[in-house]
Amino acid sequence: MPGRAARATAARTLNGLLSSPQRRAALAARAWSTVDGRGRARVVDAVFDAVRPAAVAD
């Protein structure tokens, strides 16, 4: 059963993170390396890009 295998894998992963401060620190470092602080600006740019063509066509 695929669901059972996925749950078992998730449980092993979680157990490994809970029992290892080093693994948690490594995961946190990798996660923070993906954050550039420009998320809101990207959303605003995307909204403007979506709205601008409609405004120009009017």
Side-chain angles (χ1 to χ4, degrees):
M1 179 179 260
R4 185 175 295 166
R7 286 190 299 274
T9 299
R12 281 192 304 276
T13 300
L14 182 56
N15 186 48
L17 288 168
L18 290 173
S19 63
S20 173
Q22 294 84 6
R23 286 182 70 185
R24 288 193 307 275
L27 178 61
R30 285 196 315 268
W32 279 112
S33 73
T34 65
V35 176
D36 66 1
R38 292 205 15 89
R40 286 182 285 181
R42 274 195 296 278
V43 170
V44 170
D45 289 344
V47 170
F48 282 159
D49 289 346
V51 173
R52 196 171 294 134
V56 172
D58 289 342

